[in-house]
């Protein structure tokens, strides 16, 4: 049995290899995970983290989490009802409601009946996805940070590095992008980078001289970022002992990997709260909408929160483009790669990279977890 941590609840006894590194020294025996009190929508620690990072009171945070949970179901229903007229959707924190874009005014009444607000737009989500897919076939210069479909502007947003805005290759890429559909250009101060780090202390897992963070437990191992290691690479745990092996890895193009674990390690449906909040149970992987609050756990900057900014974004790292990423306002730093993104108790994805840090701020992308599960035929370990 490997390391456990003095957690706040009985699920401590099982926490060995779960999300973002194992915890601190101590000996414990396996025990069933208890069900948390159903009446508590969120722990005090989670609410405090949302207060710190999103500027919310505890009551506002609870109200937002409840509204976001409802918005997930409304989004599914609205997408079905509107069909080809669906133009995308996003959660509006100011109103606590989902906004659904539609290309046909006749669809607005039915969407409103579901409990959502509407916006009439010119381009359908399918048309924007096709425009974005055309960009995915182009070679992007280093001065182009990425691109994604933005339902709010009803366009494909192309992020360019401010210092490279006038570079001929960047201008040529933007021109070609505009020729393929509606495009909005946004300037960024820095290019994206991955968040792997050299071997340092903390609660990591290691492969070679790289430190990364565990994402989510699956039966037989865990998922993490692909840039952290190649298939066949050995993984060491927090104490340097043999922990597992990368069974599959993809980067660039994708940024995901699956690590199988050795005897002596096991998995539990928990993500570390790092003392900021109680360790969190994972109960599923329902996808949160754009605008929803989201939190991240990583072995360097621990527990951080923000909002979902965009989905299906192509991120142009120096190593190559990565597709179908989700962008957030959550900060991260070196060593956080591979770590968990959660919305409430629902797994969202594993940390890939971003720009900035947790002192000055920035943005971070994650690889959606459901794509990883489907790619490797894995089953998420849930409570």
């Amino acid at each position: 049995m490997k390391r456990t941590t003095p957690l706040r609840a009985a699920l401590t006894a099982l926490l060995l290899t779960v999300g973002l590194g194992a915890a601190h020294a101590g000996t414990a025996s396996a025990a069933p995970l208890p069900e948390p009190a159903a009446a508590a929508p969120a722990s005090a620690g989670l609410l405090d983290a949302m207060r710190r990072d999103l500027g919310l009171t505890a009551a506002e945070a609870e109200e937002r989490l409840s509204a976001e949970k409802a918005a997930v179901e409304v989004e599914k229903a609205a997408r079905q009802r509107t069909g080809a007229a669906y133009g995308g959707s996003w959660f509006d924190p100011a109103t606590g409601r989902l906004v659904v874009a539609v290309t046909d005014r006749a669809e607005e009444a039915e969407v409103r009946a579901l409990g959502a607000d509407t916006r009439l737009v010119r381009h359908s989500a399918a048309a924007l996805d096709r425009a974005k897919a055309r960009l995915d076939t182009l070679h992007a210069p280093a001065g182009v940070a990425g691109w994604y479909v933005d339902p709010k502007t009803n366009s494909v947003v192309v992020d360019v590095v401010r210092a490279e805005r006038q570079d001929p290759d960047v201008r040529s890429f933007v021109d070609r992008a505009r020729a393929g559909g509606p495009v909005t250009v946004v300037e960024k101060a820095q290019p994206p980078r991955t968040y792997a780090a050299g071997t340092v202390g903390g609660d990591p897992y290691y492969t070679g001289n790289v430190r990364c963070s565990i994402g989510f437990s699956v039966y037989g191992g865990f998922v993490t970022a692909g840039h952290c290691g190649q298939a066949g690479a050995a993984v060491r745990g927090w104490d340097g002992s043999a922990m597992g092996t990368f069974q599959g890895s993809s980067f660039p193009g994708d940024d995901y990997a699956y690590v199988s674990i050795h005897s002596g390690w096991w998995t539990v449906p928990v993500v570390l709260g790092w003392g900021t909040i109680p360790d969190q149970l994972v109960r599923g992987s329902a996808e949160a909408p754009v605008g929803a609050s989201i939190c991240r756990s990583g072995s360097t900057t621990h527990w951080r929160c923000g909002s979902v900014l965009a989905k299906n974004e192509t991120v142009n790292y120096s190593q190559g483009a990565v597709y179908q990423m989700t962008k957030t306002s959550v900060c991260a730093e070196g060593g956080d790669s591979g770590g968990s993104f959660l919305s409430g108790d629902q797994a969202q994805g594993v940390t890939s990279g971003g720009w900035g840090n947790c002192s000055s701020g920035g943005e971070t992308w994650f690889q959606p977890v459901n794509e990883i599960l489907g790619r490797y035929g894995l089953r998420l370990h849930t409570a």
Side-chain angles (χ1 to χ4, degrees), residues 64 90-99 117 119 152 290-292:
R64 179 162 173 171
W90 62 94
F91 179 79
D92 184 354
T95 63
R97 292 164 63 88
L98 189 74
V99 182
D117 295 328
R119 181 179 295 178
K152 290 184 182 180
V290 169

Side-chain angles (χ1 to χ4, degrees), residues 272-331:
L272 289 178
W274 297 99
T276 301
I277 65 168
D279 297 338
Q280 301 292 291
L281 288 172
V282 177
R283 297 188 177 279
S285 57
E287 185 177 331
V290 169
S293 63
I294 195 165
C295 297
R296 180 192 57 71
S297 184
S299 62
T300 298
T301 58
H302 299 169
W303 189 264
R304 301 284 175 163
C305 296
S307 300
V308 178
L309 299 179
K311 295 183 180 181
N312 191 23
E313 180 161 356
T314 298
V315 181
N316 191 34
Y317 293 124
S318 61
Q319 300 93 330
V322 177
Y323 307 101
Q324 298 179 326
M325 304 288 274
T326 298
K327 179 165 63 180
T328 78
S329 63
V330 188
C331 68

Side-chain angles (χ1 to χ4, degrees), residues 40-60:
S43 69
L46 174 58
L47 300 179
D48 188 59
M50 293 179 72
R51 176 199 58 75
R52 180 196 67 195
D53 294 336
L54 294 172
L56 303 176
T57 66
E60 288 170 338

Side-chain angles (χ1 to χ4, degrees), residues 18-114:
V18 74
L20 311 140
H24 289 89
T27 303
S29 57
L33 282 170
E35 291 285 328
S43 69
L46 174 58
L47 300 179
D48 188 59
M50 293 179 72
R51 176 199 58 75
R52 180 196 67 195
D53 294 336
L54 294 172
L56 303 176
T57 66
E60 288 170 338
E62 286 195 29
E63 185 178 355
R64 179 162 173 171
L65 288 170
S66 178
E68 289 171 354
K69 186 173 183 180
V72 170
E73 298 305 315
V74 174
E75 183 179 42
K76 293 177 185 175
R79 188 186 291 267
Q80 271 191 325
R81 291 280 183 93
T82 55
Y86 180 72
S89 59
W90 62 94
F91 179 79
D92 184 354
T95 63
R97 292 164 63 88
L98 189 74
V99 182
V100 178
V102 293
T103 59
D104 185 348
R105 193 179 296 277
E107 301 289 345
E108 291 185 298
E110 283 204 36
V111 172
R112 287 174 183 151
L114 295 173

Side-chain angles (χ1 to χ4, degrees), residues 26 54 143 171 178 224 267 327 355:
L54 294 172
R171 295 176 66 178
R178 285 181 169 145
T224 187
T267 63
K327 179 165 63 180
W355 63 268

